[in-house]
Amino acid sequence: MKNEHLDFLNEAIKEAKKGLSEGGIPIGSVLVKDEKIIASGHNKRVQENNPMIHAEIDCLMNAGRIGSYGDTVLYSTLMPCYLCAGAVIQFGIKKVIVGESKTFPGAVEFMKSHGVEVIDLNNDECIKLMSDFIIKNPELWNEDIGRL
Amino acid sequence: MKNEHLDFLNEAIKEAKKGLSEGGIPIGSVLVKDEKIIASGHNKRVQENNPMIHAEIDCLMNAGRIGSYGDTVLYSTLMPCYLCAGAVIQFGIKKVIVGESKTFPGAVEFMKSHGVEVIDLNNDECIKLMSDFIIKNPELWNEDIGRL
């Protein structure tokens, strides 16, 4: 594992923890271009009472209208769901690096089938963050992934 | 074509025209439950300088945290792209009714492959609305679908 992957993942983890401290779901994301973070975000379902603001969507909102996404890399503490994977595919992000997919398999095959490179860092801190949250908040988690 | 389909589509068209009058991209959407519109929205890329606010996403944001989506029907003036289709699939919307897919094929096969019923009304007004817009604003349209 390259160190810069972990550096960027750690920034996504900071976002996830920020979300948790706000009473939200601990998933964070950063968008990287030319080896620099150009935007970050976290899940805000609870904070903004908004079911569409998954971490990756918040991050891409915060990035603004950047034009082409072909040279960006999206980091997320958790494997993207279909909503966020759909954004990746529609806007042509070619590489996604995730903290883990153990607590949620997400839409990994969907992304790969569209030529997106997906790297799973299988990070212990990310796994623990989500495992602890899901055990304590099963209904909120099921709401966030449309499983109510 | 059932009349209520056209009634709901007409509300989505009103949203699309509202977007156009604001200087935005003319795509509108409504979410229907128990034969009633529970939310509506339109594309706000230009108005809010936000690349994630496609019409369907705006509509689902405006619906708020409704719990289960299993008995909702999503209307859109245009076939949903992968971002919006991803939302449909992740949140378990089972039926999508669109004004047209002539100006943009969208992610129809993706939705169908996940068991979503997709009805294309092939509506002349929707086709003209988008055709006219794309001819006048090709770069903005390409930006909105990630084709820059």
Side-chain angles (χ1 to χ4, degrees), chain A residues 79-82 85-86 89 101 104-118 120, chain B residues 110 114:
Chain A
M79 186 65 77
C81 75
Y82 280 105
I89 289 165
S101 61
F104 177 65
V108 58
E109 292 307 325
F110 170 49
M111 288 188 285
K112 285 183 176 175
S113 74
H114 281 265
V116 179
E117 182 186 1
V118 182
D120 184 346
Chain B
F110 171 47
H114 282 265

Side-chain angles (χ1 to χ4, degrees), chain A residues 5 8 29-39 59-60 69-76 93-97 117 119:
Chain A
H5 285 176
F8 292 137
S29 178
V30 299
L31 189 66
V32 170
K33 185 175 178 174
D34 299 330
E35 302 301 317
K36 285 179 191 159
I37 291 174
I38 59 168
C59 179
L60 292 168
Y69 294 78
D71 53 357
T72 62
V73 180
L74 185 67
Y75 284 73
S76 179
I93 295 171
K94 293 187 174 60
K95 194 170 183 174
V96 172
I97 298 176
E117 182 186 1
I119 298 174

Side-chain angles (χ1 to χ4, degrees), chain A residues 45-46 49-52 54 57 60-61 64-65 67 69 81-83 86-87 89-91 110 114 140 143-148, chain B residues 45-46 49-52 54 57 60-61 64-65 67 69 81-83 86-87 89-91 110 114 140 143-148:
Chain A
R45 168 178 293 273
V46 174
N49 219 27
N50 188 323
M52 294 295 112
H54 278 193
I57 300 297
L60 292 168
M61 284 179 163
R65 294 168 63 185
Y69 294 78
C81 75
Y82 280 105
L83 164 65
I89 289 165
Q90 189 63 47
F91 294 103
F110 170 49
H114 281 265
L140 180 54
E143 180 191 346
D144 200 52
I145 54 172
R147 294 291 173 272
L148 284 184
Chain B
R45 169 179 293 272
V46 173
N49 218 28
N50 188 323
M52 293 296 112
H54 277 193
I57 300 298
L60 292 168
M61 284 179 163
R65 294 169 62 184
Y69 294 78
C81 75
Y82 280 104
L83 164 65
I89 289 165
Q90 190 63 46
F91 294 102
F110 171 47
H114 282 265
L140 180 53
E143 181 191 346
D144 200 52
I145 54 171
R147 294 293 172 270
L148 284 184

Side-chain angles (χ1 to χ4, degrees), chain B residues 49-118:
Chain B
N49 218 28
N50 188 323
M52 293 296 112
I53 307 192
H54 277 193
E56 300 88 334
I57 300 298
D58 188 48
C59 179
L60 292 168
M61 284 179 163
N62 291 337
R65 294 169 62 184
I66 64 169
S68 172
Y69 294 78
D71 53 355
T72 61
V73 180
L74 185 67
Y75 284 74
S76 180
T77 55
L78 183 64
M79 186 65 77
C81 75
Y82 280 104
L83 164 65
C84 302
V88 165
I89 289 165
Q90 190 63 46
F91 294 102
I93 295 171
K94 294 187 173 61
K95 194 171 184 174
V96 172
I97 299 176
V98 305
E100 61 113 355
S101 61
K102 199 172 170 183
T103 64
F104 178 65
V108 58
E109 292 307 325
F110 171 47
M111 288 189 284
K112 285 183 176 175
S113 73
H114 282 265
V116 179
E117 182 187 0
V118 183

